[in-house]
Amino acid sequence: KNEVEQSPQNLTAQEGEFITINCSYSVGISALHWLQQHPGGGIVSLFMLSSGKKKHGRLIATINIQEKHSSLHITASHPRDSAVYICAVNGGGADGLTFGKGTHLIIQP
Amino acid sequence: DTAVSQTPKYLVTQMGNDKSIKCEQNLGHDTMYWYKQDSKKFLKIMFSYNNKELIINETVPNRFSPKSPDKAHLNLHINSLELGDSAVYFCASSLQWGNEKLFFGSGTQLSVL
């Protein structure tokens, strides 16, 4: 069974700062997802990646398959980025996604 | 139009009751899921349906039963509700089973008293 660890668990930063959230997993995967959950509760898929790097606006996700590690970066952070960011991995079998416990990010103005 | 819609948004009920949560997607996706999010915000897969066939069923009590009348709908029935069932339940869909982007419903907050 895959173990998914996220760090940090909580992060408070000032507006404009560069943010990095990390995700490590224990067993090889076929894909990794980054999800965003706003205080209102809705969950949005940000990225799904199996290699390399993806960018969408101010968000960048990278994955290193050999090191079993992924990072989510936010450039020029803004208070509206305040949310819980969740990493989830797909082992490729019938078990579906295994989730990390999430990183609670607060961006202060 | 909402891509994945689930109802109700809030559900408050007594222990022992039977309740259902409905989910519908208008994306033409083949696969639908039910996830449970506990009080610590930890998500866990409950069920997945691909073209109306159950693919996975994690260690979920058999009081929980998914029902899919067609591939656009995956409803969750819960019998004999217990206090520990209180959580937020999310429905989601993806184009196919496997490495596909997920689209989530807005969640149903279930409170069992």
Side-chain angles (χ1 to χ4, degrees):
Chain A
K1 186 180 180 211
N2 222 328
E3 301 290 331
V4 181
E5 297 288 337
Q6 283 187 238
S7 62
Q9 287 188 346
N10 297 283
L11 177 57
T12 299
Q14 295 298 120
E15 184 173 357
E17 287 188 37
F18 181 80
I19 304 298
T20 296
I21 299 170
N22 297 298
C23 176
S24 298
Y25 50 93
S26 57
V27 179
I29 60 170
S30 57
L32 181 143
H33 298 248
W34 281 103
L35 309 173
Q36 179 192 55
Q37 186 170 26
H38 273 287
I43 300 174
V44 174
S45 175
L46 297 175
F47 296 102
M48 187 190 68
L49 63 166
S50 53
S51 65
K53 175 180 173 180
K54 287 190 175 180
K55 184 175 189 291
H56 185 259
R58 295 179 294 105
L59 300 177
I60 303 165
T62 63
I63 188 168
N64 185 318
I65 295 294
Q66 287 73 30
E67 295 188 1
K68 297 185 178 62
H69 180 269
S70 174
S71 293
L72 176 68
H73 305 286
I74 305 175
T75 62
S77 59
H78 190 276
R80 64 175 176 265
D81 297 325
S82 299
V84 176
Y85 292 83
I86 302 167
C87 170
V89 300
N90 187 343
D95 294 339
L97 293 181
T98 302
F99 294 85
K101 293 185 178 178
T103 294
H104 189 193
L105 174 66
I106 297 173
I107 304 296
Q108 295 178 335
Chain B
D1 284 344
T2 303
V4 181
S5 59
Q6 57 181 108
T7 55
K9 189 168 176 63
Y10 301 97
L11 184 53
V12 181
T13 188
Q14 299 287 329
M15 257 193 339
N17 284 351
D18 302 337
K19 290 293 178 185
S20 295
I21 306 172
K22 294 186 177 181
C23 179
E24 175 182 5
Q25 54 94 4
N26 63 5
L27 297 167
H29 287 171
D30 281 348
T31 308
M32 296 183 73
Y33 311 82
W34 276 106
Y35 294 95
K36 179 180 179 180
Q37 187 174 46
D38 62 22
S39 57
K40 295 184 178 178
K41 301 285 191 181
F42 186 60
L43 278 161
K44 193 170 181 182
I45 183 76
M46 298 180 71
F47 300 105
S48 174
Y49 255 70
N50 184 51
N51 273 330
K52 296 176 64 176
E53 291 187 35
L54 182 66
I55 295 179
I56 56 174
N57 179 348
E58 289 291 309
T59 53
V60 173
N62 58 14
R63 299 181 295 102
F64 291 79
S65 56
K67 298 264 192 306
S68 181
D70 54 61
K71 76 172 191 177
H73 296 83
L74 182 64
N75 302 323
L76 183 64
H77 298 273
I78 316 169
N79 295 325
S80 303
L81 277 156
E82 300 178 357
L83 293 176
D85 298 332
S86 295
V88 181
Y89 293 84
F90 285 95
C91 176
S93 72
S94 64
L95 184 61
Q96 296 174 353
W97 172 256
N99 296 332
E100 296 285 346
K101 180 177 177 178
L102 292 169
F103 294 79
F104 285 85
S106 57
T108 295
Q109 185 166 333
L110 171 64
S111 299
V112 182
L113 307 177

